[in-house]
Amino acid sequence: MEEEYIKLIFGLKLKQIRTEKKLSLFGLSKLSGLSKSYLNEIEKGKKYPKPDKIAMLSDKLDVPYDQMVSLKLDKNLAPIGALLQSKILKEIPLDLFGIKETNLIDIVASAPAKVNAFISTIIEIAQHYNFSRESFFLASVRSFQEANNNYFDDLEQQVLMFSKAYHVDLTTHISSNYLEEILIEEYGYSINNSELIKYESLESLRSVFVPKSKTLLLADGIDEAQRSFIYAKEIAYNFLDIKDRLYTFPWIKFKNFDQVLNNFYASYFAGALMIPKDELTVQLETIFQKESFDEALFIKTLEAFNASPESFYQRLTNILPKAYNIQNLFFLRFTHKADSEKFDLKKELHLSHQHSPRANEANEHYCRRWVSVNVLNDISKNKKTHEFDIQISNYEGENTTYLVLSSATKDPFKDNQYRSISIGLLINKQLERKLKFLKDKTIRRQDVGVTCERCSIKECEVRQAPALVLNQLTKNKKIEKIVEVLNQQFE
């Protein structure tokens, strides 16, 4: 264990022993002859006493010396010890969230029993929902994105610096050939397009980077947009001088939090390079100022950049909060297999607060009135390359209404598999001022729920399951009211 954690464990044990003996810091100071401030720093894990002082404390507190210095914690502190030994606090850069590790140490030292209960609860929840270490890291990155409204000006500036240094015209369509030339000429890459196809087990991978030889292995069948995004990410790793990185796309396993964060940085850089902020903002302004929604213009804007619909929608989550101050939004990615009734929510991002819809871990049925689901049903039936739809979704019982834009495409690497990408914007006075087309009567309006099990919509023609959860909540509220009346009646 690292020295600072050894200090913390000793401090936790000393405080626990002192508390059990009903001694204040002042009392222990008088008993031991050590200053109150010195003892306070020991208990907070800031200082570790010399052996003679430990021996003296052991004698005055009537606790064996070996027990005092042992790293073994009793059952009340064991979860905290496990947390410290896991080094999870070291793996997550707390400074990203404005948190100092010393502050956490102070919290642990000040209320070990409460912190223990909190940690035990988190561990139990994680185990119950099979919440992996990678999932925890990804959730931390999402929180980081949300805390910054998913806009990172330093990365935007790095893209501008790159474009100037390598004479990349951000006002034009950036081709994969141009990016490939930079990788080869500037960074010494070798590109291999034929190796991955030899391995059936690697069929889900788009690329593998071999650092020793600087060889980038690409999957057979990737389109121009995917190839360009992969190249742009590789350029990001090099231009941003990122060493601790992932070598496969998509990822297989993260070794530490830095790899997760650096993967996000590289992806953000790639998105900002392929879909430049200024160019997108100008085109969005034209769409927003129209009195009615121009679907053809929106699709034209989406296709104007050498990027996939997913990259385009993700880029919207960067630009809308910054350029238009539209911060109440969500991003969703669903997957769906043709001829299946299952829809899986694989990725989500919520800015400002947790919006509906959101993921659930209880095997409930997502509302079939969502445009995100409908475009998947449509594309799996008509076999088009791109299905788009727009909808104003009103969440009954939550008093929230969203403008939702959604695109569905085929997964090029999985037979009969489709995915939809959606962005939802909370409709309020601010959004109504920004988007003139919101008054367009041709935009379909739909009452929706989150899941069928929690939905209050009566006689829904696409309901997949009865409202069991909602009914139980209603029953509980009724019981609460009756109990309240009985309490008043028999006071």
Side-chain angles (χ1 to χ4, degrees):
M1 296 180 66
E2 296 187 22
E3 182 180 346
E4 59 190 288
Y5 291 152
I6 295 175
K7 291 178 184 178
L8 178 58
I9 287 177
F10 184 88
L12 289 171
K13 294 181 75 170
L14 178 61
K15 183 169 185 176
Q16 184 182 42
I17 294 167
R18 175 178 63 78
T19 304
E20 288 174 351
K21 293 185 178 293
K22 303 189 184 307
L23 277 170
S24 66
L25 271 175
F26 180 85
L28 181 57
S29 174
K30 291 298 182 183
L31 180 66
S32 65
L34 301 174
S35 71
K36 179 182 172 183
S37 60
Y38 178 64
L39 290 169
N40 185 46
E41 290 194 314
I42 292 174
E43 289 192 356
K44 288 188 174 183
K46 295 179 179 179
K47 288 189 176 179
Y48 192 88
K50 293 181 179 179
D52 60 324
K53 289 185 171 60
I54 296 175
M56 185 266 294
L57 286 169
S58 171
D59 178 60
K60 297 297 183 181
L61 293 170
D62 193 26
V63 176
Y65 181 94
D66 289 346
Q67 182 180 332
M68 293 280 290
V69 299
S70 171
L71 295 178
K72 185 177 180 181
L73 297 169
D74 65 23
K75 64 178 182 180
N76 292 326
L77 296 177
I80 296 175
L83 177 70
L84 298 176
Q85 291 185 64
S86 72
K87 298 185 179 180
I88 191 70
L89 297 180
K90 282 295 182 187
E91 293 191 33
I92 300 177
L94 297 170
D95 57 294
L96 287 176
F97 303 96
I99 301 171
K100 293 183 178 180
E101 190 174 346
T102 53
N103 293 342
L104 285 184
I105 290 173
D106 286 345
I107 293 171
V108 173
S110 300
K114 293 180 179 179
V115 175
N116 169 33
F118 173 74
I119 293 170
S120 297
T121 301
I122 295 299
I123 292 173
E124 185 175 340
I125 291 172
Q127 291 174 339
H128 181 70
Y129 290 112
N130 193 27
F131 198 64
S132 67
R133 183 166 169 264
E134 287 84 359
S135 297
F136 178 72
F137 286 163
L138 289 169
S140 297
V141 170
R142 283 197 301 273
S143 296
F144 177 52
Q145 292 176 255
E146 292 161 7
N148 290 276
N149 287 321
N150 203 29
Y151 182 83
F152 297 87
D153 192 61
D154 55 337
L155 293 173
E156 300 281 349
Q157 295 303 317
Q158 288 289 337
V159 168
L160 295 178
M161 290 171 59
F162 169 79
S163 67
K164 183 177 181 180
Y166 290 90
H167 198 63
V168 177
D169 186 354
L170 296 180
T171 65
T172 62
H173 191 278
I174 303 171
S175 71
S176 64
N177 289 336
Y178 196 84
L179 300 179
E180 181 177 295
E181 185 179 1
I182 294 173
L183 284 176
I184 294 172
E185 295 296 331
E186 182 68 16
Y187 299 117
Y189 272 50
S190 296
I191 309 298
N192 186 307
N193 295 287
S194 59
E195 186 66 23
L196 289 187
I197 196 174
K198 299 176 183 177
Y199 305 92
E200 186 176 345
S201 299
L202 302 183
E203 61 183 2
S204 63
L205 296 182
R206 273 67 160 175
S207 67
V208 175
F209 178 63
V210 184
K212 191 172 182 179
S213 62
K214 287 193 172 183
T215 301
L216 183 62
L217 308 175
L218 296 176
D220 182 53
I222 60 173
D223 59 25
E224 168 66 10
Q226 291 169 333
R227 180 181 292 270
S228 298
F229 183 78
I230 292 169
Y231 286 168
K233 276 190 73 173
E234 291 300 322
I235 286 173
Y237 281 129
N238 286 274
F239 189 75
L240 300 176
D241 195 27
I242 294 173
K243 304 299 183 186
D244 198 0
R245 54 160 293 180
L246 301 173
Y247 295 108
T248 65
F249 176 65
W251 62 272
I252 299 174
K253 186 177 181 180
F254 298 120
K255 291 183 179 179
N256 54 56
F257 182 77
D258 282 344
Q259 290 186 343
V260 186
L261 187 61
N262 289 336
N263 180 68
F264 165 70
Y265 286 152
S267 297
Y268 189 104
F269 182 100
L273 177 61
M274 303 313 299
I275 309 175
K277 179 182 66 174
D278 292 343
E279 293 302 305
L280 177 58
T281 303
V282 168
Q283 298 192 43
L284 288 177
E285 188 66 30
T286 303
I287 296 172
F288 292 171
Q289 291 305 309
K290 286 183 171 288
E291 296 292 335
S292 59
F293 180 71
D294 191 333
E295 179 176 328
L297 181 59
F298 180 82
I299 298 298
K300 182 180 178 182
T301 301
L302 186 154
E303 295 175 345
F305 303 97
N306 187 11
S308 68
E310 179 166 355
S311 293
F312 180 81
Y313 280 77
Q314 288 206 31
R315 190 66 174 138
L316 290 178
T317 69
N318 306 140
I319 301 305
L320 294 178
K322 179 63 177 179
Y324 296 94
N325 199 30
I326 299 173
Q327 298 177 3
N328 285 285
L329 60 82
F330 64 77
F331 169 90
L332 304 174
R333 182 178 73 196
F334 275 94
T335 61
H336 170 65
K337 191 169 185 178
D339 304 322
S340 168
E341 289 300 320
K342 188 176 181 182
F343 298 85
D344 295 312
L345 182 51
K346 293 295 188 180
K347 189 173 184 179
E348 59 180 325
L349 178 72
H350 300 262
L351 298 189
S352 293
H353 60 86
Q354 288 292 311
H355 303 274
S356 294
R358 51 190 172 267
N360 74 86
E361 300 289 343
N363 282 327
E364 296 178 17
H365 297 78
Y366 295 115
C367 179
R368 294 316 196 248
R369 295 181 172 205
W370 289 351
V371 65
S372 309
V373 171
N374 290 333
V375 291
L376 282 171
N377 277 325
D378 291 342
I379 196 169
S380 64
K381 292 175 182 176
N382 60 35
K383 309 299 182 184
K384 290 169 63 177
T385 57
H386 179 211
E387 187 76 38
F388 171 81
D389 203 356
I390 184 173
Q391 176 176 297
I392 292 178
S393 297
N394 175 53
Y395 282 82
E396 289 220 337
E398 298 192 17
N399 296 319
T400 54
T401 303
Y402 293 86
L403 173 73
V404 187
L405 300 95
S406 188
S407 288
T409 58
K410 186 182 184 305
D411 189 328
F413 294 92
K414 295 181 181 178
D415 291 337
N416 295 320
Q417 189 88 18
Y418 299 87
R419 54 195 174 194
S420 71
I421 310 299
S422 305
I423 188 169
L425 312 178
L426 180 67
I427 297 180
N428 50 27
K429 294 296 183 183
Q430 181 195 36
L431 193 71
E432 290 172 353
R433 289 194 297 269
K434 302 284 185 181
L435 277 60
K436 289 188 177 180
F437 66 76
L438 272 182
K439 296 179 181 179
D440 185 354
K441 298 298 183 183
T442 64
I443 299 176
R444 183 176 66 257
R445 285 157 169 79
Q446 182 75 277
D447 289 334
V448 301
V450 177
T451 66
C452 294
E453 287 81 354
R454 300 170 189 270
C455 183
S456 61
I457 298 175
K458 304 295 183 182
E459 299 179 2
C460 176
E461 69 284 357
V462 289
R463 180 179 287 279
Q464 301 293 302
L468 297 176
V469 176
L470 181 65
N471 292 340
Q472 186 60 52
L473 291 173
T474 304
K475 182 179 178 181
N476 290 345
K477 287 182 180 179
K478 185 176 181 180
I479 292 173
E480 288 174 10
K481 288 183 178 179
I482 294 174
V483 171
E484 186 178 338
V485 171
L486 288 173
N487 281 330
Q488 294 174 351
Q489 182 177 343
F490 290 95
E491 281 184 347

